[in-house]
Short mmCIF file of all heavy atoms in Angstrom, two decimals:
data_model
loop_
_atom_site.label_atom_id
_atom_site.label_comp_id
_atom_site.label_asym_id
_atom_site.label_seq_id
_atom_site.Cartn_x
_atom_site.Cartn_y
_atom_site.Cartn_z
N GLN A 12 10.08 1.29 1.87
CA GLN A 12 10.22 2.14 0.70
C GLN A 12 11.28 1.63 -0.27
O GLN A 12 11.17 1.85 -1.48
CB GLN A 12 10.54 3.59 1.11
CG GLN A 12 9.44 4.25 1.92
CD GLN A 12 8.15 4.46 1.13
OE1 GLN A 12 7.95 3.89 0.08
NE2 GLN A 12 7.28 5.28 1.64
N ILE A 13 12.34 0.98 0.26
CA ILE A 13 13.41 0.53 -0.63
C ILE A 13 13.15 -0.88 -1.19
O ILE A 13 13.86 -1.31 -2.09
CB ILE A 13 14.78 0.56 0.09
CG1 ILE A 13 14.80 -0.42 1.27
CG2 ILE A 13 15.09 1.97 0.56
CD1 ILE A 13 16.15 -0.51 1.94
N LEU A 14 12.14 -1.57 -0.64
CA LEU A 14 11.82 -2.88 -1.18
C LEU A 14 11.34 -2.75 -2.63
O LEU A 14 10.69 -1.77 -2.99
CB LEU A 14 10.73 -3.55 -0.35
CG LEU A 14 11.15 -4.10 1.02
CD1 LEU A 14 9.94 -4.62 1.78
CD2 LEU A 14 12.17 -5.21 0.88
N PRO A 15 11.66 -3.72 -3.47
CA PRO A 15 11.23 -3.64 -4.88
C PRO A 15 9.75 -3.94 -5.06
O PRO A 15 9.22 -3.77 -6.16
CB PRO A 15 12.09 -4.71 -5.57
CG PRO A 15 12.38 -5.70 -4.48
CD PRO A 15 12.50 -4.91 -3.21
N ASP A 16 9.07 -4.39 -4.00
CA ASP A 16 7.67 -4.79 -4.10
C ASP A 16 6.75 -3.63 -3.72
O ASP A 16 7.13 -2.71 -2.98
CB ASP A 16 7.38 -5.98 -3.19
CG ASP A 16 8.22 -7.19 -3.54
OD1 ASP A 16 8.54 -7.34 -4.73
OD2 ASP A 16 8.57 -7.96 -2.64
N MET A 17 5.52 -3.71 -4.21
CA MET A 17 4.47 -2.77 -3.79
C MET A 17 3.82 -3.29 -2.52
O MET A 17 3.56 -4.50 -2.40
CB MET A 17 3.42 -2.63 -4.90
CG MET A 17 3.94 -1.98 -6.16
SD MET A 17 2.69 -1.90 -7.47
CE MET A 17 2.62 -3.62 -7.96
N ILE A 18 3.57 -2.39 -1.57
CA ILE A 18 2.98 -2.79 -0.29
C ILE A 18 1.76 -1.92 -0.05
O ILE A 18 1.80 -0.70 -0.21
CB ILE A 18 3.99 -2.65 0.86
CG1 ILE A 18 5.20 -3.55 0.59
CG2 ILE A 18 3.35 -3.00 2.20
CD1 ILE A 18 6.29 -3.44 1.61
N LEU A 19 0.69 -2.58 0.37
CA LEU A 19 -0.59 -1.91 0.55
C LEU A 19 -1.28 -2.48 1.78
O LEU A 19 -1.24 -3.70 2.01
CB LEU A 19 -1.46 -2.14 -0.70
CG LEU A 19 -2.63 -1.21 -0.95
CD1 LEU A 19 -2.14 0.22 -1.20
CD2 LEU A 19 -3.42 -1.69 -2.15
N ARG A 20 -1.90 -1.61 2.57
CA ARG A 20 -2.67 -2.05 3.74
C ARG A 20 -4.03 -1.35 3.69
O ARG A 20 -4.10 -0.14 3.55
CB ARG A 20 -1.93 -1.72 5.03
CG ARG A 20 -2.70 -2.11 6.30
CD ARG A 20 -1.80 -1.99 7.52
NE ARG A 20 -1.30 -0.65 7.72
CZ ARG A 20 -1.94 0.30 8.40
NH1 ARG A 20 -3.12 0.06 8.94
NH2 ARG A 20 -1.40 1.51 8.54
N PHE A 21 -5.10 -2.15 3.78
CA PHE A 21 -6.44 -1.58 3.76
C PHE A 21 -7.32 -2.27 4.79
O PHE A 21 -7.05 -3.41 5.19
CB PHE A 21 -7.07 -1.66 2.37
CG PHE A 21 -7.11 -3.05 1.77
CD1 PHE A 21 -8.23 -3.85 1.95
CD2 PHE A 21 -6.05 -3.54 1.04
CE1 PHE A 21 -8.27 -5.12 1.42
CE2 PHE A 21 -6.08 -4.81 0.49
CZ PHE A 21 -7.21 -5.61 0.68
N ASP A 22 -8.39 -1.56 5.23
CA ASP A 22 -9.24 -2.10 6.28
C ASP A 22 -10.41 -2.87 5.69
O ASP A 22 -10.50 -3.06 4.47
CB ASP A 22 -9.72 -1.00 7.22
CG ASP A 22 -10.55 0.06 6.51
OD1 ASP A 22 -11.08 -0.24 5.41
OD2 ASP A 22 -10.68 1.17 7.04
N ARG A 23 -11.31 -3.30 6.56
CA ARG A 23 -12.44 -4.12 6.12
C ARG A 23 -13.39 -3.37 5.18
O ARG A 23 -14.14 -3.98 4.43
CB ARG A 23 -13.23 -4.64 7.32
CG ARG A 23 -13.78 -3.56 8.23
CD ARG A 23 -14.81 -4.14 9.20
NE ARG A 23 -14.28 -5.21 10.00
CZ ARG A 23 -13.67 -5.06 11.18
NH1 ARG A 23 -13.51 -3.85 11.69
NH2 ARG A 23 -13.23 -6.09 11.84
N ASN A 24 -13.32 -2.05 5.22
CA ASN A 24 -14.14 -1.23 4.34
C ASN A 24 -13.42 -0.85 3.05
O ASN A 24 -13.87 0.03 2.32
CB ASN A 24 -14.60 0.03 5.07
CG ASN A 24 -15.45 -0.28 6.28
OD1 ASN A 24 -16.33 -1.15 6.22
ND2 ASN A 24 -15.19 0.40 7.38
N LEU A 25 -12.26 -1.49 2.81
CA LEU A 25 -11.44 -1.26 1.61
C LEU A 25 -10.84 0.14 1.57
O LEU A 25 -10.49 0.65 0.50
CB LEU A 25 -12.23 -1.52 0.33
CG LEU A 25 -12.87 -2.90 0.18
CD1 LEU A 25 -13.56 -3.02 -1.16
CD2 LEU A 25 -11.84 -4.01 0.33
N VAL A 26 -10.73 0.78 2.74
CA VAL A 26 -10.09 2.10 2.80
C VAL A 26 -8.59 1.88 2.99
O VAL A 26 -8.16 1.18 3.91
CB VAL A 26 -10.66 2.94 3.96
CG1 VAL A 26 -9.92 4.27 4.06
CG2 VAL A 26 -12.14 3.19 3.73
N ILE A 27 -7.78 2.49 2.13
CA ILE A 27 -6.33 2.29 2.17
C ILE A 27 -5.75 3.04 3.36
O ILE A 27 -5.98 4.24 3.54
CB ILE A 27 -5.68 2.78 0.86
CG1 ILE A 27 -6.21 1.95 -0.31
CG2 ILE A 27 -4.16 2.70 0.94
CD1 ILE A 27 -5.74 2.44 -1.66
N ARG A 28 -4.99 2.33 4.19
CA ARG A 28 -4.36 2.91 5.37
C ARG A 28 -2.86 3.13 5.19
O ARG A 28 -2.27 3.93 5.90
CB ARG A 28 -4.61 2.00 6.60
CG ARG A 28 -6.08 1.82 6.94
CD ARG A 28 -6.75 3.15 7.18
NE ARG A 28 -8.16 3.02 7.53
CZ ARG A 28 -8.99 4.02 7.60
NH1 ARG A 28 -8.57 5.25 7.32
NH2 ARG A 28 -10.24 3.84 7.91
N PHE A 29 -2.25 2.42 4.27
CA PHE A 29 -0.82 2.61 3.99
C PHE A 29 -0.53 2.16 2.57
O PHE A 29 -1.10 1.18 2.07
CB PHE A 29 0.06 1.81 4.96
CG PHE A 29 1.52 1.87 4.60
CD1 PHE A 29 2.29 2.97 4.97
CD2 PHE A 29 2.12 0.86 3.87
CE1 PHE A 29 3.63 3.05 4.62
CE2 PHE A 29 3.47 0.92 3.53
CZ PHE A 29 4.22 2.03 3.92
N ALA A 30 0.35 2.92 1.91
CA ALA A 30 0.83 2.54 0.58
C ALA A 30 2.26 3.04 0.46
O ALA A 30 2.55 4.19 0.81
CB ALA A 30 -0.06 3.13 -0.51
N ASN A 31 3.16 2.18 0.02
CA ASN A 31 4.54 2.65 -0.15
C ASN A 31 4.70 3.35 -1.50
O ASN A 31 3.79 3.37 -2.33
CB ASN A 31 5.54 1.50 0.03
CG ASN A 31 5.46 0.48 -1.10
OD1 ASN A 31 4.52 0.48 -1.88
ND2 ASN A 31 6.43 -0.40 -1.17
N ASP A 32 5.87 3.93 -1.70
CA ASP A 32 6.10 4.73 -2.90
C ASP A 32 6.01 3.89 -4.18
O ASP A 32 5.63 4.40 -5.23
CB ASP A 32 7.47 5.41 -2.83
CG ASP A 32 7.51 6.50 -1.77
OD1 ASP A 32 6.42 6.95 -1.36
OD2 ASP A 32 8.62 6.90 -1.35
N LYS A 33 6.37 2.60 -4.08
CA LYS A 33 6.33 1.76 -5.28
C LYS A 33 4.89 1.64 -5.79
O LYS A 33 4.63 1.74 -6.99
CB LYS A 33 6.89 0.37 -4.95
CG LYS A 33 8.40 0.31 -4.80
CD LYS A 33 9.08 0.54 -6.13
CE LYS A 33 10.58 0.30 -6.02
NZ LYS A 33 11.26 1.16 -5.06
N PHE A 34 3.95 1.43 -4.88
CA PHE A 34 2.56 1.34 -5.31
C PHE A 34 2.06 2.70 -5.80
O PHE A 34 1.39 2.79 -6.84
CB PHE A 34 1.67 0.87 -4.16
CG PHE A 34 0.20 0.82 -4.53
CD1 PHE A 34 -0.33 -0.27 -5.18
CD2 PHE A 34 -0.63 1.89 -4.24
CE1 PHE A 34 -1.66 -0.30 -5.55
CE2 PHE A 34 -1.96 1.87 -4.60
CZ PHE A 34 -2.48 0.77 -5.26
N ALA A 35 2.41 3.76 -5.08
CA ALA A 35 1.94 5.09 -5.45
C ALA A 35 2.41 5.47 -6.85
O ALA A 35 1.65 6.00 -7.66
CB ALA A 35 2.40 6.12 -4.42
N SER A 36 3.69 5.18 -7.15
CA SER A 36 4.21 5.52 -8.48
C SER A 36 3.54 4.68 -9.56
O SER A 36 3.36 5.15 -10.69
CB SER A 36 5.73 5.32 -8.52
OG SER A 36 6.06 3.95 -8.28
N ARG A 37 3.16 3.46 -9.21
CA ARG A 37 2.50 2.61 -10.20
C ARG A 37 1.15 3.19 -10.63
O ARG A 37 0.74 3.06 -11.79
CB ARG A 37 2.31 1.19 -9.62
CG ARG A 37 1.59 0.21 -10.55
CD ARG A 37 2.36 -0.03 -11.84
NE ARG A 37 3.64 -0.65 -11.60
CZ ARG A 37 3.84 -1.96 -11.54
NH1 ARG A 37 2.84 -2.79 -11.72
NH2 ARG A 37 5.05 -2.45 -11.31
#
């Protein structure tokens, strides 16, 4: 959460499994 980068994790079906606050706010 404190990293300045956006982090995203998704599965083979392109379903998002994790997103940090930086990506969410974007």
Side-chain angles (χ1 to χ4, degrees):
Q12 297 294 15
I13 64 176
L14 286 175
D16 300 328
M17 293 177 287
I18 300 177
L19 199 65
R20 178 169 60 87
F21 55 92
D22 61 20
R23 58 167 57 90
N24 299 317
L25 303 183
V26 177
I27 297 174
R28 299 303 181 190
F29 174 81
N31 68 347
D32 290 342
K33 286 292 188 300
F34 177 84
S36 62
R37 178 62 63 89

